[in-house]
Structures are given as C-alpha cells and as structure tokens.
Amino acid sequence: MIELKLPIDQIKVGDLIRVRPGEKIPVDGAIIEGESAIDESMVTGESMPVGKHKGDTVIGATMNKSGSFVYKATKVGKETMLSQIIKLVEEAQGSKAPIQRLADIISSYFVPIVIMLAISTFVGWYVFGPAGGLVLAMLNSIAVLIIACPCAMGLATPTAIMVGTGIGAEHGVLIKDAESLETAHKVKTIVFDKTGTLTKGKPEVTNLVILNEVKDLDDEVVVKKQKNATLDSSVVSLPQNDLLRIVASVEKNSEHPLGEAIVKKTEEEKLSLRKVEGFRSITGKGVEGIVNGKKVYVGKTLDSHPTGVQAQKLLNQGKTVVYVYVDEKLVGLIAIADTIKESAKEAVQILRDLGIEIFMITGDNKQTAEAIGKQLGIKKENVLAEVLPEEKEKKVKELKSKIQDLKSKIAFVGDGINDAPALAAADVGIAMGSGTDVAIDAAGITLVNKNLMSVVSTIQLSKQTMKTIKFNLFWAFAYNIVLIPVAMMGWISPILASGAMAISSISVVTNSLFLKKAKI
C-alpha cells in the first residue's frame, strides 16, 4: 500500500486514511484497522475522549488523542457531519420563531402610528408653539421619528435565537428551526422510544449463574457448584469465565443477536474459545455442539426442565435468559438484556422534577417493558408496551388529544426509521444523533452527543432563550412608551434621541449575549 499526503479537498469516498496521535481527522468515516481515543468535544460537547475500535465511526474535524488507526472515508465535503451541523445552525439562526412574527405584526402597526405622532408633534409645535415654531416643530418631530426607530424591537428575537442555537450546537444539541426552540419550553409530556433511546440498543451479558458441576470439558472442572450465585458480569471469576468460554465457543457459529452478545463478552474478557464439533442450529430453540466429547446445548429451556427460581427472577427483571446444558444437564444460566444508558435514569428523574410527565413506548412484551420502566422510575401506567411500529404515531396523537391545557406541548424522543412518523406528529421531535437519517430529518432537534441529559438541556435552553426574548421585547416596548411622549414634548433633541435609540439596540444585543452565561 502506497501512502500519500493529499489536501483535504482531494479526499474521495472510499479512500483509506491513516491518522496518527495528535492529528485531526479530515473527513467522516469508519475504522478498519487499529484503535484510539478521540476528542469529539467540538461536535458532541462531551469533554472526555471516546474510545474507538474497528467498525466504529469517526467524525471529521475531531482530534485523535492516542493511538494510530486506518479508516475508510464515507462522507466528504458538504456531506460530513460538521458541514451538516454548520448548515443546520445557519438555517435555524435565519428562521423566525412564532414570537418573532408577533413582534413583526406589532411593528407593522407601530410604524404608521409613530409617523402619525410625528406629524401631530409637528402640527402641535408649529401651531401652538412659540414664535419661530417651524424649527422647533421640525426638531421635535424628527426626534420622535428617531427615538421610535423599532431597531430594538426587531433585534429582540433574532439575536436571542442566534445565541441560543449557537449554545445548543456547542452542547451537542442541533436545533433545526426557531419554532422548535421556542416550543420546547412548553413541553409537559415527553414520550421516549425504548430501544436505542433509553437503552443502548445492543444486547449485553448482564448476569452469569452457575448451577452444577461439570467435569472433563477442558480437562478440568470448568463449572463448580455455587448455589444461589447470581454474579454481575462485571465481576467474573474463574468458573464464570469457563462457562462463558464454553457457551461462546458454540455460539461463535451462530448469527443470532444473543449469541453475538455472548461472543462479544468473551472478546472483552479476552478469553480463548474451544474447538466445537457437530454444530447444529435448532430453529426457534437454540444451538448445540460437541466440546471435548460433551454435548453442549445453549438456548431455551428444554421441555423436561422447569424454569427455576433464579431464571424467573432474571425474567422478572426484563432480561432474556439463555439456558446452558451439558449432556442434557442444566449447568448454568446467562442473562442478556438491552442495558439502560448511563444518562437515562438521571435524565428521567430531572424531567419529572421539572413537572414533565414521562412515557415510554416499545414493541417489547409488557413484562420486559415494565421492568425497564421500573428501573428508570417511569410510572407503570405510562409504560406503553407491545406497540407496533406503525402504531407509535397513533399513540402520540392520542396523548396529544388528552392534554387539556392547550398551551402544553408533547415531545417525542426516538432514533429509528419507525419513529419518524411519531417524531413528525409530536409538537417537538427530538432525534438521537446515533439514529437513522429518516428520524433525524423528521425531528426539529437532534442530539449529536447521544446523551439523554441533552433533553434536559434543550428544555432549559428553550426556557432561558424565551426569558431573554421576553425581556428584550419588554425593554423595547417600555423604551418607546416612555421616550416617545418625552420627545413629543420637546424635552429631548434629535442628537440625544439618536443616542438613546442606539443604546436601546445595544442593550438588547448585550442582553442576548448574556444568554451564553446561562446554565443549561
């Protein structure tokens, strides 16, 4: 392979690019060789470097902190994530919020009224003023026109929107339009999709249970009797390692997602696999193979065996239980689950503290859904289980119809193609940055950093932005209401009026910039 140094504009999709420690990643792509820790803070707002391995995606313009790797370019030029972020922010900053339209309507009436007041001022001073009233009439009427220039009114909303969308982008929250930013603070109900949103979307081994002793699988006792032993997979002792190794050796030949989770766990533990003979996949049941002369079966419980107390306990937690048999003797259990994201529970709790009703929607069975909901602190009656993909939009509309307060809004947070109709149906659609392009296109807000605390940040940012806009508008109106009569009475000259007008505009812009110091 010949390596060349090329300008970034000459990189094409499909090119292989080597990135060394301390270098910036030029374009978006997927790692095909090596691993590293990458600082993605400029895009996601996360301060900690993110570990990247073979198959993981990398984002252009982020910084490679340690490790050298080769990746394949998948998006270049205007198609990269950074370019799309810049485009979205520019579009959002150029869009108008509903409250801006109110200001525009008021301005459309305000301008002719001011012109009439200026004419009245001129006539009043010219007719009823002292001798030589023409000059005074001209000066005072001009002062009225200058002091009433609606610059502050016009700047009140767009300056705050521009700062707000910029702050959002810095924290990994992409706001596509000003209306979404304004509406977010009115949200009183949020519906979360489960898979890939509240959970990681990938099954992981969570528990290993050792039940019986088995000899001669690897010329040693690989599974020792441990009654009532349910160990978290993060603390794996020798017997658990051996059970995991045996099961993964058989599952290595399977393409089932649960089997992939078991194999992935052995890779994380850096365990070597055993030779398997006579592998067979039993449709709807599991897989089996011969390991060191012993028949190993991994899958659903055999008809002749009861479920068992420990297995039932794991099932009640919403986990999928894989049964391990050696020569038709049950020796262990492996629990697999789509684990909850680290930020999910905290985000749900804070949102509830803010007075927001939380719902979870999923196609999973009721038992699994309620177990996940319980872990997250979501009310049992707010867990919507066994919902088909095409029914999600219908459920969102039903919840909207039940909201009695017309000012209250509903938001939907999702990531999949099947979430797109629901994202569009909600008053505020929030898509996870790790989701599909269809979902991201249907949503008004995208969370690039995949952190659910960003949902909280979005609502708090909306509240702070609207607070700033309302203060700006109040200042603009109060300024005109107080100083227009002063100008009509001749107490302020055109020069002072122009200074006051400039100060009012500067104060509005400065107040909008203070939004950067707000905690979100």
Side-chain angles (χ1 to χ4, degrees), residues 340-359:
I340 295 171
K341 288 182 178 178
E342 292 80 1
S343 59
K345 190 172 183 179
E346 183 183 3
V348 169
Q349 184 58 52
I350 293 175
L351 290 169
R352 289 185 63 186
D353 292 342
L354 292 173
I356 297 173
E357 193 76 7
I358 305 298
F359 285 81

Side-chain angles (χ1 to χ4, degrees), residues 77-321:
K78 294 181 179 179
E79 299 300 317
T80 62
M81 180 178 286
L82 183 62
S83 296
Q84 292 298 313
I85 289 173
I86 293 170
K87 179 183 176 184
L88 288 173
V89 172
E90 287 176 346
E91 289 175 353
Q93 290 177 341
S95 62
K96 284 188 177 182
I99 198 168
Q100 173 65 37
R101 289 191 279 273
L102 174 63
D104 291 343
I105 292 171
I106 293 173
S107 295
S108 67
Y109 289 102
F110 179 75
V111 172
I113 290 173
V114 168
I115 292 173
M116 291 173 62
L117 290 174
I119 293 171
S120 300
T121 301
F122 178 84
V123 172
W125 279 93
Y126 182 73
V127 174
F128 302 105
L134 178 61
V135 174
L136 284 174
M138 287 290 290
L139 289 174
N140 291 335
S141 60
I142 290 172
V144 170
L145 291 172
I146 294 173
I147 206 78
C149 181
C151 293
M153 203 178 299
L155 291 169
T157 302
T159 53
I161 293 295
M162 185 171 290
V163 175
T165 52
I167 292 172
E170 289 176 4
H171 288 79
V173 179
L174 292 186
I175 300 163
K176 290 185 180 179
D177 55 74
E179 185 172 356
S180 296
L181 179 60
E182 178 180 338
T183 308
H185 82 285
K186 300 177 183 177
V187 169
K188 294 300 178 184
T189 304
I190 298 180
V191 182
F192 284 95
D193 174 53
K194 182 186 81 70
T195 306
T197 303
L198 289 171
T199 64
K200 295 179 180 178
K202 295 180 181 179
E204 296 180 359
V205 174
T206 60
N207 302 78
L208 295 171
V209 182
I210 309 302
L211 298 175
N212 288 297
E213 177 184 286
V214 176
K215 295 183 178 181
D216 300 328
L217 264 173
D218 196 27
D219 299 323
E220 61 179 332
V221 179
V222 294
V223 185
K224 298 179 180 178
K225 178 89 169 173
Q226 288 189 20
K227 291 183 179 180
N228 302 320
T230 303
L231 301 178
D232 188 274
S233 59
S234 62
V235 184
V236 182
S237 61
L238 179 60
Q240 282 74 30
N241 274 347
D242 287 329
L243 176 64
L244 198 59
R245 179 188 290 115
I246 295 162
V247 175
S249 298
V250 180
E251 288 285 7
K252 182 72 174 178
N253 300 286
S254 170
E255 295 181 355
H256 196 281
L258 298 183
E260 291 177 0
I262 294 171
V263 173
K264 182 181 178 182
K265 183 63 180 175
T266 61
E267 292 173 352
E268 291 174 357
E269 299 295 331
K270 297 181 180 179
L271 303 176
S272 59
L273 302 184
R274 299 289 176 257
K275 183 179 179 181
V276 177
E277 298 175 346
F279 172 81
R280 186 165 72 98
S281 176
I282 307 169
T283 305
K285 291 287 186 178
V287 294
E288 65 180 23
I290 307 298
V291 180
N292 201 25
K294 298 281 187 178
K295 181 182 176 182
V296 178
Y297 166 82
V298 182
K300 293 182 178 179
T301 181
L302 297 178
D303 296 334
S304 58
H305 292 80
T307 302
V309 177
Q310 294 189 59
Q312 190 59 51
K313 184 179 179 181
L314 294 170
L315 290 169
N316 291 340
Q317 294 172 12
K319 298 176 180 179
T320 300
V321 177

Side-chain angles (χ1 to χ4, degrees), residues 43-63:
V43 176
T44 65
E46 294 288 342
S47 58
M48 294 297 293
V50 181
K52 297 286 184 176
H53 308 276
K54 183 179 178 180
D56 291 341
T57 58
V58 292
I59 304 170
T62 55
M63 181 68 73

